[in-house]
Structures are given as C-alpha cells and as structure tokens.
Amino acid sequence: MARQGVVASMHALALLLGAFAAIPTGVQSIGVCYGVNGDNLPPASDVVQLYQSNGINLMRIYFPDANALNALSGTSIGLIMDVPNTDLASLASDPSAAAAWVQSNVQAFPSVSFRYIAVGNEASGGDTGSILPAMKNLNAALANAGLGGSIKVSTAVQSDVTQGFPPSQGTFSQGYMAPIAQYLQSTGAPLLCNVYPYFSYIGNPAQIDLSYALFTSPGTVVQDGSNAYQNLFDALVDTFVSALQNAGAGNVPVVVSESGWPSAGGDAATAANAQTYNQNLINHVGQGTPKRPGPIETYIFAMFNEDQKTGAESERHFGLFNPDKSPAYPINFS
C-alpha cells in the first residue's frame, strides 16, 4: 500500500479551488488483500479458512507466496497475484524469464483460481519503464501456456497517476500511463487502482469533510455536470475512469485493488472510523459510480494488522483482523 501524500495534495488543491473530489460506488465482489509483513501471523492454511468462514471470495497477494498458493489450491477464492517491483526489469527484458515466472508461479498451481497478474504495485521511478514490456512478455508466456484467456495481466497504480478536478476532468499525469491503458484496452484487462479516501482526507482535513471520506455525507458534495458525488471514494474512481477515456481507453474496466482505513496510528485512524469506512464500502458494492453504473470488484486493504510494515505508524493498523484471527472491529461481509 502506498503512502499517498501526492494524492492528498492533489485533492487538497482541487478543494481549495472550490470543490471536493468524490467517486461512485459499486463492487461486484469484495476481496481482501493478504499481506504477510508481520512476525506473528497465522499460517496460510488458517488464513484461507478465515476467508472462507467469513464468505470472502477474493484475495490479493503481493508476491508468489507458495504457502498461500498451496492453501488456495482447490478453493474457489479468486486471486490477484503481484509481480514484485524488483522483478519488473528482468521480466521486461527477457521473454524467457517471463516464461519461467509463469511456469514456476502459475502453471505449478493449476488448482488456484488466478484472476489477474498485477505487474508491479505503485511502481515509480525507473521501474515504470519496465511495466508495459513486462506485461507484454507475461501475456505472451500465459498465452503459450494456454492460459491467455483466463488470466488477465495488468498493473496496480495509485491515484497520483491521475490529475484533474472535478472527476470528469481526470487525465493521466504520468506519460507512461496512456500506452499502458491502451494496451489494457487491446487485451480486455482492467486497470487495478488503489483508492484511498483516507490519505486524501488527512492531507487536507480543513477542506475535506470526514463524512465525505467515510460514506456518511447526508447529500451531494460535488456536482459534476449531471453526475452527483456523495462520497470521496466515488470521485476518486471516476477520476480514473475519465483518465482512461481521455487516453483513448474508455472500455477498460476499473478494479479497486486496494482501499481501506487504519484503526490506529494516525489522524482520524480509529477503530470506529475504520469500521464505518470498510462496512460502508462493503455495503456500497454493486451500485456502480456515476460514470460507470454497475458493480466494481474491490479489495479491502488488509486482512491483518502487520507489525513489520514500514512507514507511518498507521501502515501497521489497516487490518480487519488481529494476528490471533479475532476481528479488529466488527465487520459483516454479507
């Protein structure tokens, strides 16, 4: 998960110019991201059972975690699996490395329900030049393995790859994004978007109302032409939708590959706010956004509080569950 200061600054500027950002709702299914940056987490087999007992049918993992893949084998849990940013350069430059990666991490687990391969998570700097060639090599490797139709290749990005307000004015702020968007349109894969109203809010609490970030605003906050926005999540998502349209890739679906709220460790990071945000996000699924009516697949960050995550203290408190598998706060996935 990213520290999204740029996102917060972008939306703070928009707000100071006279508006709030918001994006529509809608999730076809709710998944949960399974990170393992903790020294006291339960074994993967217990984790998969915890997903199943709570009716969570989608998971994201951040590297080819053999323990998780073995535990998922034979289940119906759909999976996003990341290519770590550190592997992008080698997969971009060498088709045989991509073929070996697919063989070791996908073909070796034929009973796992892979949905997407995320080629990098919020890649930055020089890594961004490797995203598209690595995607192409992995797509070719999957096709050669007979898996090209069932597993889609994409990349996960954060909101600072977009700019513009209101949401209808969204464009990509990074030059590498338009070719990626156009490639996704050619393959039918979605763009994986990490969407965090929390970071936008804490970056500008004087201008962004907490209720707008928590899905509890009583009415429209931003009117964007004929589109009315009552929550910040919807505005952020539709900014991505507009950016895709403006890049000539308006048919690319958006999958929200991360969204969440911390329960401790920072401004507005309380168990009550985390419960409110994540429960409202779950309840919001299926409605769609003003620009994209219809369900949007969404993954909550994260399954566990992870005590070894780096960065701000809040990074260690995004979990829905404690390491002993008890809920961090009550949540209903149905």
Side-chain angles (χ1 to χ4, degrees):
M1 183 186 61
R3 279 69 34 200
Q4 309 213 338
V6 177
V7 180
S9 299
M10 177 185 72
H11 289 288
L13 177 60
L15 295 171
L16 290 169
L17 293 174
F20 302 124
I23 54 181
T25 115
V27 180
Q28 156 187 359
S29 292
I30 279 285
V32 180
C33 302
Y34 171 32
V36 294
N37 291 311
D39 62 4
N40 53 358
L41 299 181
S45 57
D46 287 3
V47 174
V48 169
Q49 290 176 2
L50 190 60
Y51 273 68
Q52 292 172 317
S53 65
N54 283 278
I56 306 168
N57 61 4
L58 296 169
M59 177 188 289
R60 180 182 178 187
I61 60 176
Y62 290 89
F63 66 97
D65 182 345
N67 292 325
L69 293 169
N70 282 318
L72 286 167
S73 293
T75 73
S76 60
I77 296 173
L79 183 68
I80 300 177
M81 182 168 69
D82 284 26
V83 174
N85 294 349
T86 51
D87 291 348
L88 296 181
S90 63
L91 295 178
S93 62
D94 186 359
S96 66
W101 194 94
V102 167
Q103 183 174 29
S104 297
N105 301 311
V106 180
Q107 290 175 272
F109 300 94
S111 298
V112 172
S113 299
F114 293 102
R115 291 177 65 77
Y116 314 118
I117 304 298
V119 182
N121 182 47
E122 301 177 353
S124 61
D127 288 338
T128 60
S130 296
I131 298 171
L132 185 54
M135 289 171 63
K136 291 179 176 179
N137 284 342
L138 284 167
N139 257 328
L142 287 168
N144 289 337
L147 299 169
S150 59
I151 303 173
K152 299 296 186 183
V153 175
S154 186
T155 188
V157 296
Q158 61 178 330
S159 289
D160 71 354
V161 304
T162 66
Q163 61 187 1
F165 185 85
S168 61
Q169 300 304 304
T171 60
F172 286 119
S173 59
Q174 305 296 322
Y176 62 87
M177 282 303 303
I180 288 172
Q182 292 156 11
Y183 180 69
L184 293 174
Q185 178 143 297
S186 75
T187 65
L191 181 63
L192 307 178
C193 303
N194 297 344
V195 176
Y196 283 99
Y198 172 74
F199 289 108
S200 296
Y201 168 72
I202 65 169
N204 193 7
Q207 297 294 328
I208 300 176
D209 194 271
L210 181 61
S211 66
Y212 186 50
L214 290 174
F215 295 96
T216 57
S217 178
T220 297
V221 176
V222 171
Q223 189 70 41
D224 182 8
S226 61
N227 292 330
Y229 292 93
Q230 194 169 343
N231 65 78
L232 182 52
F233 175 88
D234 282 354
L236 294 170
V237 169
D238 271 1
T239 301
F240 274 110
V241 172
S242 293
L244 288 164
Q245 292 170 337
N246 286 322
N251 293 328
V252 173
V254 167
V255 167
V256 176
S257 45
E258 288 183 10
S259 191
W261 197 284
S263 60
D267 294 343
T270 67
N273 285 343
Q275 179 188 28
T276 296
Y277 179 82
N278 285 321
Q279 190 65 67
N280 285 338
L281 179 64
I282 291 168
N283 296 344
H284 195 59
V285 307
Q287 298 178 24
T289 72
K291 288 182 71 68
R292 286 268 180 92
I296 300 175
E297 187 176 333
T298 295
Y299 295 73
I300 297 174
F301 188 92
M303 194 65 173
F304 296 105
N305 289 319
E306 300 172 64
D307 64 353
Q308 293 181 326
K309 282 189 68 67
T310 58
E313 178 62 25
S314 62
E315 294 282 334
R316 293 179 276 282
H317 299 280
F318 272 83
L320 298 173
F321 293 89
N322 297 306
D324 65 0
K325 298 183 288 186
S326 64
Y329 40 82
I331 205 83
N332 182 1
F333 293 95
S334 61

